[in-house]
Amino acid sequence: MTMWATVRLRPLVARSTLPPCRRWRDTGAYIHGVTCSPSPKVSYNRFHTTAICSPTRASLLTGRNSHNVGAGQITEAASGFPGYTGTIPKSAATLAKVLSGYGYDTAAFGKWHNTPVDDLMKSGPFDQYPTGLGFSYFYGFLAGETSQYNPRLYENTNPIEPPRKPEEGYHLTEDMADQAIKLIRANRALTPDRPFFIYFAPGGAHGPHHVHKEWADKYKGKFDMGWEKLRNITFEKQKAMGWIPNSTKLTPIDPTMVKWEEIPEEQRAFQLRLMEVYAGYLEHTDTQDGKVVEELERQGLFNNTLIIYVLGDNGASAEGIHGTIDELLAENALPSTYQQQMEVLNRDFGGLDALGSQHVDKMYHSSWAWALDTPFKSTKLVAAHFGGMRTPMVMSWPKAKKWKKGSTEKVIKHDPTPRSQFHHVCDIAPTIYEAVGVQFPTRVEGAKQMPLDGVSMVYTWNNVSVKERKSAQYFEVMGSRGVYKDGWFASVFGPRIPWAEANETRMREWNPDTDVWELYDLTRDFSQAEDLAKEMPDQVAKMKQIFLMEATANKVLPIGAGLYTIYYHPEEGPHSPLTEWKLYEGLTRR
């Protein structure tokens, strides 16, 4: 899933939006690749998320580490531990809240997933909705995912229905682009002197993978080589593009993952179509992003727009496990064999062509996710390996208008060489604040503000080799964890294996105190291919202490708290206090 934002900036500063780019890790073989506007831009190949959606979004929007703002887990699995409450405190004002105080129009489109689930009622409360956290306007969905054909939409705090039916050609990502364009035009027509900030977060390419058949058909036969060979092709292209160092080693498939040769011949058409639909969905989403950027160009806003494009909120997802027509079957460990799924597809929906349609909520095989995370190990939900949290990022800001002098100056000069300074999603907000000349307030609406955890990346814009300013960064997701410090990375895989069904014995017997740590020298090892833990136990011990200090300071402890309600004590998870309900005729979500 991509995230991008637009900020029309004040005189002497700029505007900001995000360009239409797509998964750089997906560009190795035949998937639609990066289609950024040819304007001056710089890219980042050592940029990181939290490895899971809600926490990444909370970190991006606040400029703090996710646990530090109560977002150490998705809102559906919130608990009473301070770093896992699922509620962003008033002491962590969002980008939208701060910028609105400086006179910005602010709007959010698409996926939100940062509102406590027990607040999702007509009666609210609404303080944790996008509009309660600073956005003047919201159009999208509050949950972690939704159908692209029949989305459960909200406008501001009001549940609404899509403007058209699937049979009339409706698709949510297209609708989002149209709504964003309307907002830009309204701003120009009614308040042309008012700057704006737009946070654009389409559902693609998060599951369910929904796209019309003609988009998926573009990729027929493109993946017949299987996931290992796709990964090899991707790796070679990444080196040829200069996206990864030539010294990078391609990490092998994990022993617990399924190899392509292990997929029976009669099942391969199913697995291939799942991937073809994903690729079409990816291109379709990119095209809608491009429509918004084209509108900025039509309005004459693009050159004076700061564009920060984050490819996704985590690595590629393995949650489809063996490939599925309904990802919730896989995520909830409900038994469903290939034969059962094909029986449903053939009997009820017309066979493989139904994949990508409104009738199924398909998700590809977990080994495709591994291939899309080339050259790294692991996938989404792993904070120990960069397959879980490293994602490409692009910034663009061609010219800042000097309003008083009536001239322009270049801000970001085009450079095809990727920036390799180590950075994190919490660095986005400080970057925007510095770029637009906003002094971060000590209080917002009376609430004393926590310090920002992030570091501005403006210093990297026009100096590819400048020394990085981020010396340390922790990562943690449900016991999987890691820490970066001055070129070193130490990590623990954790109790869960995202691409396999839950191992009850492994989960029950897990003890974080006896976890085995890994150690990598990132100055020589881009892909975490060489574990140095056994050779350098003193460095491991040093890194473990650094992690403990970072975890303590950011409310990560106790380790594994993110598993408390989702696995160990589901009865204590967010739920209604009611045990019976009285429902009346005419009662709807609206």
Side-chain angles (χ1 to χ4, degrees):
M1 176 182 305
T2 58
M3 295 181 290
W4 58 281
T6 74
V7 184
R8 179 186 165 219
L9 309 177
R10 285 193 176 281
L12 301 177
V13 196
R15 302 185 175 94
S16 127
T17 14
L18 303 172
C21 311
R22 282 290 127 192
R23 293 191 75 83
W24 286 46
R25 282 183 295 198
D26 292 356
T27 60
Y30 305 106
I31 303 181
H32 176 72
V34 177
T35 59
C36 292
S37 173
S39 65
K41 58 185 175 290
V42 292
S43 57
Y44 294 76
N45 66 358
R46 295 214 307 165
F47 182 82
H48 304 83
T49 67
T50 68
I52 186 171
C53 46
S54 293
T56 291
R57 293 158 189 277
S59 182
L60 183 151
L61 288 169
T62 64
R64 284 88 167 185
N65 287 315
S66 56
H67 298 76
N68 213 11
V69 295
Q73 174 58 291
I74 60 174
T75 54
E76 293 87 344
S79 66
F81 297 106
Y84 304 83
T85 61
T87 301
I88 297 175
K90 294 186 183 299
S91 57
T94 66
L95 268 165
K97 181 71 77 172
V98 172
L99 293 177
S100 65
Y102 281 86
Y104 281 73
D105 282 343
T106 57
F109 297 91
K111 178 176 174 177
W112 181 248
H113 206 195
N114 278 119
T115 300
V117 293
D118 40 7
D119 289 357
L120 301 180
M121 295 182 290
K122 286 185 177 182
S123 56
F126 301 116
D127 59 305
Q128 292 288 306
Y129 281 55
T131 51
L133 290 171
F135 286 98
S136 303
Y137 182 74
F138 172 68
Y139 188 91
F141 54 101
L142 296 174
E145 63 183 55
T146 194
S147 168
Q148 295 292 303
Y149 298 110
N150 298 286
R152 300 300 79 203
L153 285 176
Y154 281 77
E155 185 172 35
N156 299 322
T157 61
N158 302 311
I160 62 172
E161 293 302 312
R164 301 191 315 279
K165 297 182 181 300
E167 296 78 12
E168 299 171 314
Y170 179 82
H171 194 282
L172 174 58
T173 319
E174 297 174 7
D175 186 17
M176 281 176 51
D178 292 341
Q179 297 297 331
I181 289 170
K182 286 181 181 179
L183 183 131
I184 293 169
R185 291 175 178 175
N187 172 272
R188 300 306 293 158
L190 303 176
T191 55
D193 293 329
R194 189 180 298 170
F196 60 75
F197 168 66
I198 297 176
Y199 172 71
F200 195 85
H206 191 290
H209 298 160
H210 281 161
V211 73
H212 297 298
K213 183 176 180 295
E214 59 269 23
W215 290 87
D217 285 349
K218 293 182 179 184
Y219 294 92
K220 278 191 174 181
K222 300 297 186 182
F223 307 105
D224 290 359
M225 78 291 288
W227 37 73
E228 289 102 330
K229 289 184 179 179
L230 173 64
R231 188 170 163 97
N232 291 337
I233 295 170
T234 300
F235 179 67
E236 293 302 323
K237 186 168 183 180
Q238 288 173 329
K239 289 195 294 184
M241 293 169 62
W243 182 246
I244 63 175
N246 283 326
S247 61
T248 303
K249 295 179 181 178
L250 182 60
T251 56
I253 191 169
D254 190 274
T256 60
M257 291 179 173
V258 176
K259 297 180 179 180
W260 182 249
E261 65 184 24
E262 297 171 357
I263 299 297
E265 189 67 35
E266 67 272 15
Q267 297 183 20
R268 291 188 178 183
F270 174 69
Q271 300 295 352
L272 291 169
R273 189 58 178 174
L274 293 176
M275 186 59 181
E276 291 164 4
V277 171
Y278 165 79
Y281 187 27
L282 196 64
E283 181 178 354
H284 177 267
T285 306
D286 179 71
T287 302
Q288 310 319 308
D289 290 348
K291 291 178 181 178
V292 181
V293 175
E294 288 169 359
E295 180 63 24
L296 291 170
E297 293 173 335
R298 280 192 294 270
Q299 296 289 348
L301 302 177
F302 182 76
N303 274 345
N304 196 25
T305 294
L306 168 61
I307 293 170
I308 303 177
Y309 183 95
V310 181
L311 179 66
D313 52 12
N314 40 242
S317 173
E319 291 159 306
I321 310 294
H322 302 298
T324 179
I325 62 173
D326 189 331
E327 61 178 328
L328 292 182
L329 292 175
E331 290 179 12
N332 290 289
L334 299 175
S336 58
T337 65
Y338 161 78
Q339 289 77 14
Q340 289 173 323
Q341 296 188 68
M342 285 306 303
E343 180 182 353
V344 171
L345 280 179
N346 291 326
R347 183 190 65 219
D348 299 334
F349 304 122
L352 291 178
D353 280 349
L355 296 176
S357 74
Q358 64 171 314
H359 303 297
V360 295
D361 290 346
K362 58 127 306 209
M363 188 72 177
Y364 55 34
H365 195 289
S366 58
S367 291
W368 286 125
W370 167 74
L372 298 178
D373 282 332
T374 304
F376 307 116
K377 294 183 281 190
S378 300
T379 65
K380 173 186 177 181
L381 302 181
V382 176
H385 301 144
F386 294 143
M389 65 269 198
R390 182 167 288 182
T391 190
M393 188 265 288
V394 178
M395 294 196 204
S396 172
W397 185 1
K399 296 178 182 179
K401 187 174 182 180
K402 292 183 175 180
W403 292 75
K404 291 183 179 180
K405 297 181 180 181
S407 60
T408 61
E409 64 178 358
K410 292 183 178 179
V411 183
I412 294 180
K413 299 176 183 178
H414 181 71
D415 188 348
T417 304
R419 270 58 183 153
S420 292
Q421 292 83 4
F422 194 99
H423 278 287
H424 184 267
V425 69
C426 70
D427 300 330
I428 293 291
T431 301
I432 292 176
Y433 293 141
E434 180 179 352
V436 305
V438 163
Q439 182 176 357
F440 187 77
T442 56
R443 290 183 179 272
V444 175
E445 296 180 347
K448 184 178 180 180
Q449 292 299 292
M450 304 161 49
L452 296 173
D453 295 322
V455 175
S456 170
M457 294 177 279
V458 169
Y459 75 98
T460 66
W461 282 357
N462 295 311
N463 191 339
V464 68
S465 59
V466 65
K467 182 179 178 181
E468 69 186 27
R469 297 181 182 177
K470 193 175 190 72
S471 64
Q473 178 63 51
Y474 83 90
F475 300 85
E476 193 278 338
V477 177
M478 292 182 279
S480 181
R481 56 201 188 273
V483 65
Y484 172 82
K485 177 69 174 177
D486 297 332
W488 290 96
F489 193 87
S491 60
V492 167
F493 185 85
R496 298 179 74 252
I497 302 176
W499 49 85
E501 287 86 357
N503 185 316
E504 295 298 325
T505 301
R506 180 185 175 100
M507 295 294 295
R508 187 171 56 252
E509 297 179 355
W510 174 61
N511 181 350
D513 293 333
T514 59
D515 276 334
V516 176
W517 283 74
E518 303 169 16
L519 179 69
Y520 302 97
D521 180 1
L522 300 184
T523 64
R524 300 186 299 108
D525 183 6
F526 184 83
S527 61
Q528 296 178 298
E530 186 178 1
D531 182 3
L532 303 175
K534 291 182 180 180
E535 300 173 28
M536 305 182 69
D538 291 344
Q539 183 65 26
V540 172
K542 179 181 177 181
M543 296 296 288
K544 288 171 68 174
Q545 283 302 115
I546 293 171
F547 175 83
L548 183 59
M549 290 189 294
E550 293 291 318
T552 302
N554 287 281
K555 306 183 184 72
V556 178
L557 303 179
I559 297 299
L563 291 166
Y564 187 77
T565 59
I566 202 170
Y567 184 82
Y568 294 112
H569 291 282
E571 74 281 2
E572 296 186 32
H575 64 279
S576 171
L578 300 178
T579 56
E580 61 180 61
W581 289 262
K582 294 181 180 180
L583 302 179
Y584 299 91
E585 183 179 359
L587 184 65
T588 68
R589 65 187 290 266
R590 294 187 292 172

